[in-house]
Amino acid sequence: MPSYTVTVATGSQWFAGTDDYIYLSLVGTAGCSERHLLDKAFYNDFERGAVDSYDVTVDEELGEIQLIKIEKRKYWLHDDWYLKYVTLKTPSGDYIEFPCYRWLTGDGEVVLRDGRAKLSRDDQIHILKQHRRQELDTRQKQYRWMEWNPGFPLSIDAKCHRDLPRDIQFDSEKGVDFVLNYSKAMENLFVNRFMHMFQSSWSDFADFEKIFVKISNTISERVMNHWQEDLMFGYQFLNGCNPVLIQRCTKLPEKLPVTTEMVECSLERQLTLEQEIEQGNIFIVDFELLDGIDANKTDPCTMQFLAAPICLLYKNLVNKMVPIAIQLNQVPGDENPIFLPSDAKYDWLLAKIWVRSSDFHIHQTITHLLRTHLVSEVFGIAMYRQLPAVHPIFKLLVAHVRFTIAINTKAREQLICQYGLFDKANATGGGGHVQMVQKAMQNLTYTSLCFPEAIKARGMDSTEDIPYYFYRDDGLLVWEAIRAFTADVVGIYYESDQVVEEDQELQDFVKDVYVYGMRGRKASGFPKSIKTREKLSEYLTVVIFTASAQHAAVNFGQYDWCSWIPNAPPTMRAPPPTAKGVVTIEQIVDTLPDRGRSCWHLGAVWALSQFQENELFLGTYPEEHFTEKPVKEAMTRFRKNLDAIVSVIAERNKNKKLPYYYLSPDRIPNSVAI
């Protein structure tokens, strides 16, 4: 009688093992086996991290094995089981791998195909077609779209983390409890004694050091020492945690009536402002999105304020960016003066602080939340709904949506919800952040997620003209490495453009993103379908780059750049000044966040800047969804390209007082998970 050796691998995460009964059935081209209990006498099967082997004898020849069915039945108390993979050694000595990487809960079962990636056109046998369809039917019932707020990209239909399908939940929910993590961060930073001191102002700038953790020779310490300098202010638009707003100014907007006379002491080339603009030396950052956004009113004891500044910057003779004019609101007028470096010290300083605060709001809500977290969730939901586990694009993307839906669900549960943590310290809390996302959705386009095009659209692509833009330099290297990898994978499974066009599952995935994620907005430029291999490679690069590199660039520098409160105030407690010559240091300190809000802000940026436990970095794929040699070789090439980029960045950063490392691949997690 034919005998098979079955090897079963249990996950190594907490609570992955089970004491339940596990049964196996084999389905072959010539017949099906009975179900077999996988059990060894006097042995604790399926323990966490275990790899167990069993001999399974069947009554008759089964032919080529098409599917295996694993069933879990209650022994004493139900416990979930994480099955990594099953390997089958056939009677003829062949080995077949069946990747799983899923949880079995309750009296659960899973039907697995072998690890070879297949498009739907490759499946000619009825049972395989049926399996493919049933998997998607089940998933579409589990992964449902929901509108969390009008005008937002649609998200997962789940009120809280435990409502999510088990496969996409965090291994331990406690690890991503925002309330717990922020409180723990404040404790670790020894600032928890201030956390309830709302309305209590600091006495001066030095007083902020009471909650600042000095870690010598770090970016945060350098920010603390140099934050008032124009060079440090300008540098952050290039390489801080929001390096996506600055653009070359080709024409001065009418709403910013700056003249040569106003700024001539800042211009170093003996040219007029118009000539400097023509030569490409003037840059602009416009916070127009904040205009009309409601400030936080959740605390009746503290008035909070927002501005919508416009900041003009100049590339000086040593190619460094410095601010030369700041207008704190959009409509020019006598009560909206243009602040200049030649103004009184505290006038100019307060104007810069307002810009830094506005930059913080755009960063948190648009650059970070909308353009990485929410967009990546859309890709993840569409993938689970439309691509079966055997599809090569599912196998490629699954690592890049790991825990994304879970972290966003926790954020909607605790962070950005009504009365959530976001309301505690941020001037855009209490609903302002929702208005911001609704406005920003009008400018969220597909090309703005294509890194090279986004850089070019802002006129920031010339390395000769703008030599110190490390976000651009490193981002282009990583983008190209990902693009080469996706092109390799696409080339393996799609022999022609026609195969791409005829892959209905792929087209359904792309359509789901457009219709539900982008709300069917034509102006978004998101494709409704993909017709060529090149366009597919670009689309997959957008998905992976957004989830990995772009998120890393705008997330993990938050403690570096935002922990010194005056450099990134999360709220302002007095309105923007309407006249020059009246600002005092006392007024600035009373405008900056109080002690309580400062502490909550510090806890937030610390917690958000930490890597997950057991973080998986770009290019690492410990879950072997792919089993074929050509893809594994493509992965090896990808890792080599990424390693080369790590070396280039490390070499450039040598001896730099302000190293830029957020886009070094060894610091880029695979997915948005924090």
Side-chain angles (χ1 to χ4, degrees):
M1 290 196 298
S3 181
Y4 294 82
T5 302
V6 180
T7 303
V8 180
T10 296
S12 53
Q13 58 269 67
W14 288 105
F15 312 114
T18 185
D19 290 324
D20 284 354
Y21 296 113
I22 303 298
Y23 296 91
L24 168 81
S25 312
L26 305 174
V27 180
T29 48
C32 305
S33 76
E34 295 175 358
R35 71 176 196 164
H36 293 263
L37 176 65
L38 300 180
D39 184 42
K40 286 190 275 199
F42 310 112
Y43 178 74
N44 206 344
D45 306 275
F46 314 116
E47 287 292 283
R48 175 181 163 220
V51 178
D52 301 314
S53 291
Y54 305 88
D55 290 324
V56 172
T57 304
V58 297
D59 296 336
E60 53 191 33
E61 287 289 343
L62 299 176
E64 189 184 334
I65 300 298
Q66 303 288 331
L67 302 166
I68 65 169
K69 183 178 183 181
I70 302 281
E71 299 171 72
K72 183 170 82 71
R73 296 293 177 257
K74 188 161 117 178
Y75 166 65
W76 179 245
L77 291 170
H78 269 312
D79 52 356
D80 298 347
W81 178 45
Y82 189 83
L83 172 60
K84 284 171 71 177
Y85 61 81
V86 176
T87 304
L88 202 63
K89 184 185 178 188
T90 67
S92 59
D94 294 329
Y95 285 87
I96 310 171
E97 292 176 55
F98 294 86
C100 180
Y101 303 103
R102 286 179 238 171
W103 288 93
L104 276 76
T105 60
D107 281 337
E109 58 186 53
V110 64
V111 180
L112 301 174
R113 292 194 44 175
D114 74 74
R116 292 170 299 172
K118 298 286 182 187
L119 301 176
S120 58
R121 73 175 201 147
D122 301 327
D123 286 342
Q124 300 304 322
I125 299 168
H126 172 71
I127 193 171
L128 297 180
K129 287 182 179 178
Q130 187 185 35
H131 173 258
R132 202 175 186 111
R133 188 63 254 157
Q134 282 174 346
E135 182 182 8
L136 289 181
D137 286 345
T138 303
R139 289 237 214 97
Q140 283 164 17
K141 285 171 190 153
Q142 287 181 310
Y143 296 82
R144 301 172 307 279
W145 294 104
M146 176 193 76
E147 182 180 70
W148 186 66
N149 257 306
F152 271 54
L154 293 196
S155 48
I156 195 79
D157 185 4
K159 284 191 172 64
C160 58
H161 181 267
R162 67 176 169 274
D163 291 345
L164 294 171
R166 183 68 181 90
D167 287 332
I168 59 167
Q169 289 182 23
F170 281 104
D171 298 331
S172 162
E173 193 180 350
K174 204 164 67 172
V176 285
D177 186 300
F178 286 109
V179 178
L180 195 69
N181 288 353
Y182 285 21
S183 305
K184 211 189 308 176
M186 286 187 272
E187 211 172 294
N188 292 344
L189 297 166
F190 304 107
V191 299
N192 48 337
R193 66 188 185 279
F194 296 112
M195 66 190 278
H196 300 298
M197 295 172 70
F198 292 94
Q199 289 85 51
S200 167
S201 292
W202 302 94
S203 51
D204 53 30
F205 293 143
D207 206 19
F208 281 98
E209 290 188 46
K210 285 180 181 162
I211 62 161
F212 183 75
V213 179
K214 269 194 190 172
I215 308 165
S216 57
N217 302 318
T218 57
I219 291 173
S220 55
E221 188 189 41
R222 195 158 182 83
V223 169
M224 182 193 77
N225 291 328
H226 299 278
W227 70 282
Q228 298 187 42
E229 297 166 16
D230 287 356
L231 279 171
M232 177 62 89
F233 178 90
Y235 177 87
Q236 291 178 71
F237 286 115
L238 296 176
N239 302 307
C241 57
N242 196 25
V244 302
L245 296 185
I246 188 169
Q247 51 187 322
R248 198 186 290 272
C249 180
T250 52
K251 184 177 182 292
L252 209 58
E254 285 180 19
K255 62 184 180 180
L256 185 66
V258 178
T259 64
T260 300
E261 292 69 42
M262 286 179 175
V263 295
E264 62 187 343
C265 63
S266 299
L267 307 180
E268 298 178 353
R269 294 176 176 87
Q270 273 71 57
L271 300 171
T272 65
L273 181 58
E274 288 68 30
Q275 289 169 327
E276 293 280 18
I277 289 171
E278 277 170 34
Q279 290 205 3
N281 297 323
I282 303 294
F283 296 80
I284 192 165
V285 182
D286 188 350
F287 297 92
E288 185 178 13
L289 187 101
L290 286 164
D291 194 30
I293 299 297
D294 293 331
N296 192 340
K297 295 181 178 67
T298 57
D299 179 358
C301 300
T302 305
M303 292 283 282
Q304 299 181 60
F305 298 89
L306 293 167
I310 310 168
C311 179
L312 213 57
L313 295 123
Y314 177 62
K315 186 187 71 172
N316 66 17
L317 285 171
V318 289
N319 292 319
K320 299 289 172 72
M321 292 288 173
V322 288
I324 58 170
I326 293 169
Q327 182 178 287
L328 292 180
N329 278 303
Q330 294 286 306
V331 181
D334 292 343
E335 295 201 338
N336 187 20
I338 294 170
F339 291 94
L340 307 165
S342 53
D343 289 340
K345 177 184 175 181
Y346 292 128
D347 282 1
W348 181 235
L349 181 60
L350 182 56
K352 288 192 294 179
I353 290 171
W354 268 106
V355 171
R356 292 295 313 134
S357 183
S358 302
D359 192 64
F360 174 81
H361 296 311
I362 297 282
H363 166 261
Q364 284 294 8
T365 305
I366 309 307
T367 308
H368 183 210
L369 172 65
L370 172 60
R371 297 178 67 89
T372 63
H373 277 258
L374 300 184
V375 167
S376 288
E377 180 176 6
V378 164
F379 290 133
I381 298 169
M383 181 201 78
Y384 279 111
R385 285 173 53 81
Q386 304 297 351
L387 299 175
V390 72
H391 198 290
I393 305 305
F394 178 93
K395 289 172 180 277
L396 174 67
L397 295 184
V398 67
H400 300 289
V401 299
R402 178 176 179 258
F403 299 146
T404 301
I405 301 171
I407 194 71
N408 287 0
T409 303
K410 285 299 282 185
R412 285 187 286 270
E413 198 184 329
Q414 294 183 320
L415 195 61
I416 56 174
C417 54
Q418 198 174 8
Y419 312 119
L421 289 174
F422 203 78
D423 290 358
K424 273 191 181 293
N426 293 287
T428 52
H433 60 305
V434 172
Q435 296 169 359
M436 287 172 71
V437 171
Q438 289 164 337
K439 273 177 93 168
M441 273 295 283
Q442 306 312 308
N443 304 319
L444 178 58
T445 62
Y446 176 73
T447 49
S448 72
L449 297 177
C450 295
F451 191 80
E453 279 88 335
I455 295 288
K456 209 169 190 174
R458 293 188 285 112
M460 301 295 292
D461 47 317
S462 171
T463 51
E464 204 176 312
D465 269 4
I466 312 160
Y468 301 113
Y469 197 13
F470 307 127
Y471 163 73
R472 171 203 59 205
D473 301 341
D474 300 355
L476 288 170
L477 292 175
V478 176
W479 172 274
E480 186 48 41
I482 296 171
R483 194 208 56 75
F485 174 51
T486 60
D488 273 357
V489 175
V490 167
I492 292 166
Y493 294 102
Y494 295 89
E495 66 221 30
S496 67
D497 292 344
Q498 188 184 348
V499 180
V500 171
E501 200 170 352
E502 291 174 357
D503 181 357
Q504 194 53 51
E505 290 168 340
L506 169 68
Q507 302 304 336
D508 290 343
F509 162 63
V510 171
K511 190 178 174 185
D512 239 32
V513 170
Y514 172 74
V515 171
Y516 297 105
M518 295 308 120
R519 312 302 296 267
R521 275 193 322 107
K522 222 174 184 176
S524 72
F526 269 75
K528 297 178 202 172
S529 61
I530 290 180
K531 294 183 167 63
T532 67
R533 297 196 297 176
E534 189 183 346
K535 278 292 172 195
L536 175 55
S537 171
E538 179 189 77
Y539 194 90
L540 297 172
T541 305
V542 165
V543 177
I544 295 172
F545 186 89
T546 301
S548 57
Q550 186 59 26
H551 179 256
V554 303
N555 182 71
F556 293 104
Q558 290 187 77
Y559 188 78
D560 288 346
W561 296 102
C562 304
S563 56
W564 180 247
I565 308 288
N567 188 58
T571 189
M572 299 288 263
R573 294 181 296 144
T578 55
K580 294 189 182 189
V582 293
V583 178
T584 64
I585 185 156
E586 291 77 22
Q587 192 182 329
I588 294 178
V589 172
D590 284 343
T591 300
L592 287 168
D594 55 41
R595 292 165 192 255
R597 285 179 177 81
S598 298
C599 290
W600 279 99
H601 168 80
L602 202 62
V605 296
W606 171 270
L608 290 169
S609 301
Q610 306 308 305
F611 292 120
Q612 284 278 3
E613 202 181 338
N614 306 321
E615 192 72 81
L616 298 176
F617 293 97
L618 192 58
T620 55
Y621 296 98
E623 292 186 357
E624 295 194 41
H625 291 274
F626 283 112
T627 60
E628 301 100 304
K629 196 178 173 190
V631 194
K632 291 192 170 184
E633 287 169 350
M635 285 175 170
T636 303
R637 283 193 296 278
F638 183 36
R639 276 191 291 274
K640 275 188 181 164
N641 286 343
L642 294 174
D643 288 344
I645 295 169
V646 170
S647 302
V648 166
I649 292 172
E651 186 60 36
R652 191 232 13 245
N653 283 338
K654 265 186 189 170
N655 306 319
K656 269 204 185 311
K657 287 172 182 168
L658 274 176
Y660 186 82
Y661 42 68
Y662 309 117
L663 282 169
S664 184
D666 57 346
R667 289 170 173 256
I668 299 176
N670 261 333
S671 63
V672 176
I674 188 72

Coordinates of all heavy atoms in Angstrom, one line a residue, residues 331-374:
V331 N -4.3 84.5 2.9 CA -4.7 85.8 2.3 C -3.8 86.9 2.8 O -3.8 87.2 4.0 CB -6.2 86.1 2.6 CG1 -6.7 87.4 1.9 CG2 -7.1 84.9 2.2
P332 N -3.1 87.6 1.8 CA -2.2 88.7 2.3 C -3.0 89.9 2.8 O -4.2 90.1 2.4 CB -1.5 89.1 1.0 CG -2.3 88.6 -0.2 CD -3.1 87.4 0.4
G333 N -2.4 90.7 3.7 CA -3.1 91.8 4.2 C -2.3 92.4 5.4 O -1.3 91.8 5.8
D334 N -2.8 93.5 5.9 CA -2.1 94.2 7.0 C -2.0 93.3 8.2 O -1.0 93.5 9.0 CB -2.8 95.5 7.3 CG -2.8 96.5 6.2 OD1 -1.9 96.3 5.3 OD2 -3.6 97.5 6.2
E335 N -3.0 92.5 8.5 CA -2.9 91.7 9.7 C -2.3 90.3 9.4 O -2.4 89.4 10.2 CB -4.3 91.5 10.3 CG -4.9 92.9 10.8 CD -6.0 92.7 11.8 OE1 -6.6 91.6 11.8 OE2 -6.2 93.6 12.5
N336 N -1.7 90.2 8.2 CA -1.0 88.9 7.9 C 0.3 89.3 7.3 O 0.6 89.1 6.1 CB -1.9 88.1 6.9 CG -1.3 86.7 6.6 OD1 -0.5 86.2 7.4 ND2 -1.7 86.2 5.5
P337 N 1.2 89.8 8.1 CA 2.5 90.3 7.6 C 3.4 89.2 7.1 O 3.2 88.0 7.5 CB 3.1 91.0 8.8 CG 2.5 90.3 10.0 CD 1.1 90.0 9.6
I338 N 4.3 89.6 6.2 CA 5.3 88.6 5.8 C 6.6 88.8 6.7 O 7.2 89.8 6.7 CB 5.7 88.9 4.3 CG1 4.5 88.6 3.4 CG2 6.9 88.0 3.8 CD1 4.6 89.1 2.0
F339 N 6.9 87.7 7.4 CA 8.0 87.7 8.3 C 9.3 87.4 7.6 O 9.3 86.6 6.7 CB 7.7 86.7 9.5 CG 6.6 87.2 10.4 CD1 5.3 86.7 10.2 CD2 6.9 88.0 11.4 CE1 4.3 87.1 11.0 CE2 5.8 88.5 12.3 CZ 4.6 88.0 12.1
L340 N 10.4 88.1 8.0 CA 11.7 88.0 7.3 C 12.8 87.7 8.3 O 12.7 88.1 9.5 CB 11.9 89.3 6.6 CG 10.8 89.8 5.6 CD1 11.0 91.2 5.3 CD2 10.7 88.9 4.4
P341 N 13.9 87.2 7.8 CA 15.1 87.0 8.7 C 15.6 88.3 9.3 O 16.3 88.3 10.3 CB 16.1 86.3 7.8 CG 15.3 85.8 6.6 CD 14.1 86.7 6.4
S342 N 15.3 89.4 8.6 CA 15.8 90.7 9.0 C 14.9 91.3 10.1 O 15.2 92.3 10.7 CB 15.9 91.7 7.9 OG 14.6 91.7 7.2
D343 N 13.8 90.7 10.4 CA 12.9 91.1 11.5 C 13.5 90.9 12.9 O 14.5 90.2 13.0 CB 11.5 90.4 11.4 CG 10.7 90.8 10.2 OD1 11.0 91.9 9.7 OD2 9.8 90.1 9.8
A344 N 12.8 91.4 13.9 CA 13.3 91.1 15.3 C 13.4 89.6 15.5 O 12.6 88.8 15.0 CB 12.3 91.7 16.3
K345 N 14.4 89.2 16.3 CA 14.7 87.8 16.6 C 13.5 87.0 16.9 O 13.3 85.9 16.3 CB 15.7 87.7 17.7 CG 16.1 86.3 18.1 CD 17.0 86.3 19.3 CE 17.3 84.8 19.7 NZ 18.2 84.7 20.9
Y346 N 12.6 87.4 17.8 CA 11.5 86.5 18.2 C 10.3 86.6 17.3 O 9.6 85.6 17.2 CB 11.1 86.9 19.7 CG 12.1 86.6 20.7 CD1 12.6 87.5 21.6 CD2 12.7 85.3 20.7 CE1 13.6 87.2 22.5 CE2 13.7 84.9 21.6 CZ 14.1 85.9 22.5 OH 15.1 85.6 23.4
D347 N 10.2 87.7 16.5 CA 9.2 87.7 15.4 C 9.5 86.5 14.4 O 8.6 85.7 14.1 CB 9.3 89.0 14.6 CG 8.5 90.1 15.4 OD1 8.0 89.9 16.5 OD2 8.5 91.2 14.8
W348 N 10.8 86.5 14.0 CA 11.2 85.5 13.0 C 11.1 84.1 13.6 O 10.7 83.2 12.9 CB 12.6 85.9 12.5 CG 13.2 85.0 11.5 CD1 14.4 84.3 11.5 CD2 12.6 84.6 10.2 NE1 14.6 83.6 10.4 CE2 13.6 83.8 9.5 CE3 11.5 85.0 9.5 CZ2 13.3 83.2 8.3 CZ3 11.2 84.4 8.2 CH2 12.1 83.6 7.6
L349 N 11.6 84.0 14.8 CA 11.6 82.6 15.4 C 10.1 82.1 15.6 O 9.9 80.9 15.2 CB 12.2 82.7 16.8 CG 12.3 81.3 17.6 CD1 13.1 80.3 16.8 CD2 12.9 81.6 19.0
L350 N 9.2 82.9 16.0 CA 7.8 82.5 16.2 C 7.2 82.1 14.8 O 6.5 81.1 14.7 CB 7.0 83.5 16.9 CG 5.5 83.1 17.1 CD1 5.4 81.8 17.9 CD2 4.7 84.2 17.9
A351 N 7.5 82.9 13.8 CA 7.0 82.5 12.4 C 7.5 81.2 12.0 O 6.8 80.3 11.5 CB 7.5 83.6 11.4
K352 N 8.8 80.9 12.3 CA 9.4 79.6 11.9 C 8.7 78.4 12.7 O 8.4 77.3 12.2 CB 10.9 79.6 12.1 CG 11.6 80.4 11.1 CD 13.1 80.1 11.1 CE 13.8 80.6 12.4 NZ 15.2 80.4 12.5
I353 N 8.4 78.7 14.0 CA 7.8 77.7 14.9 C 6.4 77.4 14.3 O 6.0 76.2 14.3 CB 7.7 78.2 16.3 CG1 9.1 78.2 17.0 CG2 6.8 77.3 17.2 CD1 9.1 78.9 18.3
W354 N 5.7 78.4 13.8 CA 4.3 78.2 13.2 C 4.5 77.3 12.0 O 3.6 76.4 11.8 CB 3.7 79.5 12.9 CG 2.8 80.0 14.0 CD1 3.1 81.1 14.8 CD2 1.5 79.5 14.4 NE1 2.0 81.2 15.7 CE2 1.1 80.3 15.5 CE3 0.7 78.4 13.9 CZ2 -0.1 80.1 16.1 CZ3 -0.5 78.2 14.6 CH2 -0.9 79.0 15.6
V355 N 5.5 77.5 11.2 CA 5.7 76.6 10.0 C 6.0 75.2 10.5 O 5.5 74.2 9.9 CB 6.8 77.2 9.1 CG1 7.2 76.2 8.0 CG2 6.4 78.5 8.5
R356 N 6.9 75.1 11.5 CA 7.2 73.7 11.9 C 6.0 73.0 12.5 O 5.8 71.8 12.3 CB 8.3 73.8 13.0 CG 9.7 74.3 12.6 CD 10.4 73.4 11.6 NE 10.3 72.0 12.1 CZ 10.0 71.0 11.3 NH1 9.7 71.1 10.0 NH2 10.0 69.7 11.8
S357 N 5.1 73.7 13.2 CA 3.9 73.1 13.7 C 3.0 72.7 12.6 O 2.4 71.6 12.6 CB 3.2 74.1 14.7 OG 2.0 73.5 15.2
S358 N 2.8 73.5 11.6 CA 2.0 73.2 10.4 C 2.6 72.0 9.7 O 1.8 71.1 9.2 CB 1.9 74.4 9.5 OG 1.4 75.5 10.2
D359 N 3.9 72.0 9.6 CA 4.5 70.8 8.9 C 4.2 69.5 9.7 O 4.0 68.5 9.1 CB 6.0 71.1 8.8 CG 6.7 70.1 7.9 OD1 6.4 70.1 6.7 OD2 7.6 69.3 8.4
F360 N 4.2 69.6 11.0 CA 3.9 68.4 11.9 C 2.5 67.9 11.5 O 2.3 66.7 11.4 CB 4.1 68.8 13.3 CG 3.6 67.7 14.3 CD1 4.5 66.7 14.6 CD2 2.4 67.7 14.8 CE1 4.1 65.6 15.4 CE2 2.0 66.7 15.7 CZ 2.8 65.6 16.0
H361 N 1.5 68.8 11.4 CA 0.2 68.4 11.2 C 0.0 67.7 9.8 O -0.6 66.7 9.7 CB -0.8 69.6 11.3 CG -0.8 70.2 12.6 ND1 -1.0 69.5 13.8 CD2 -0.7 71.5 13.0 CE1 -1.0 70.3 14.8 NE2 -0.8 71.5 14.4
I362 N 0.6 68.3 8.8 CA 0.5 67.7 7.4 C 1.3 66.4 7.4 O 0.8 65.4 6.9 CB 1.2 68.7 6.4 CG1 0.4 70.0 6.3 CG2 1.2 68.0 5.0 CD1 -0.9 69.9 5.6
H363 N 2.4 66.4 8.1 CA 3.2 65.1 8.2 C 2.3 64.0 8.8 O 2.2 62.9 8.2 CB 4.5 65.3 9.0 CG 5.1 64.0 9.4 ND1 4.9 63.4 10.6 CD2 5.8 63.1 8.6 CE1 5.6 62.3 10.6 NE2 6.1 62.0 9.5
Q364 N 1.8 64.2 10.0 CA 1.1 63.2 10.7 C -0.1 62.7 10.0 O -0.4 61.5 9.9 CB 0.7 63.7 12.1 CG 1.8 63.8 13.1 CD 2.4 62.4 13.5 OE1 2.1 61.4 12.9 NE2 3.2 62.4 14.5
T365 N -0.9 63.6 9.5 CA -2.3 63.2 9.0 C -2.3 62.9 7.5 O -3.0 61.9 7.1 CB -3.3 64.4 9.2 OG1 -3.2 64.7 10.6 CG2 -4.7 64.0 8.8
I366 N -1.4 63.6 6.7 CA -1.5 63.3 5.3 C -0.3 62.4 4.8 O -0.5 61.3 4.3 CB -1.5 64.6 4.5 CG1 -2.6 65.6 5.0 CG2 -1.6 64.4 3.0 CD1 -4.0 65.0 5.0
T367 N 0.9 62.9 5.0 CA 2.1 62.2 4.6 C 2.2 60.8 5.2 O 2.5 59.8 4.5 CB 3.4 63.0 5.0 OG1 3.3 64.3 4.5 CG2 4.6 62.3 4.3
H368 N 1.9 60.7 6.5 CA 2.0 59.4 7.2 C 0.7 58.6 7.2 O 0.7 57.5 6.7 CB 2.5 59.8 8.7 CG 2.7 58.5 9.5 ND1 2.6 58.5 10.9 CD2 3.1 57.3 9.2 CE1 2.9 57.3 11.3 NE2 3.2 56.5 10.3
L369 N -0.3 59.2 7.8 CA -1.6 58.4 7.9 C -2.2 58.1 6.6 O -2.4 56.9 6.2 CB -2.6 59.2 8.8 CG -4.0 58.6 8.9 CD1 -4.0 57.2 9.6 CD2 -5.0 59.5 9.6
L370 N -2.5 59.1 5.8 CA -3.3 58.9 4.5 C -2.4 58.2 3.5 O -2.8 57.1 3.0 CB -3.8 60.2 4.0 CG -4.4 60.1 2.6 CD1 -5.6 59.2 2.5 CD2 -4.8 61.5 2.0
R371 N -1.2 58.7 3.3 CA -0.4 58.3 2.1 C 0.4 57.1 2.3 O 1.0 56.6 1.3 CB 0.4 59.5 1.5 CG -0.5 60.7 1.1 CD 0.4 61.8 0.6 NE 1.1 61.5 -0.6 CZ 0.6 61.6 -1.9 NH1 -0.6 62.2 -2.0 NH2 1.3 61.3 -2.9
T372 N 0.5 56.6 3.5 CA 1.2 55.3 3.7 C 0.2 54.3 4.4 O -0.2 53.3 3.8 CB 2.5 55.4 4.5 OG1 2.2 55.8 5.9 CG2 3.5 56.3 3.9
H373 N -0.3 54.6 5.6 CA -1.2 53.7 6.3 C -2.5 53.3 5.5 O -2.8 52.2 5.3 CB -1.5 54.2 7.7 CG -0.5 54.0 8.7 ND1 -0.6 53.0 9.7 CD2 0.7 54.6 8.9 CE1 0.5 53.1 10.4 NE2 1.3 54.0 10.0
L374 N -3.2 54.4 5.2 CA -4.6 54.1 4.6 C -4.4 53.5 3.2 O -5.2 52.6 2.8 CB -5.4 55.4 4.6 CG -5.7 55.9 6.0 CD1 -6.7 57.1 5.9 CD2 -6.3 54.9 7.0

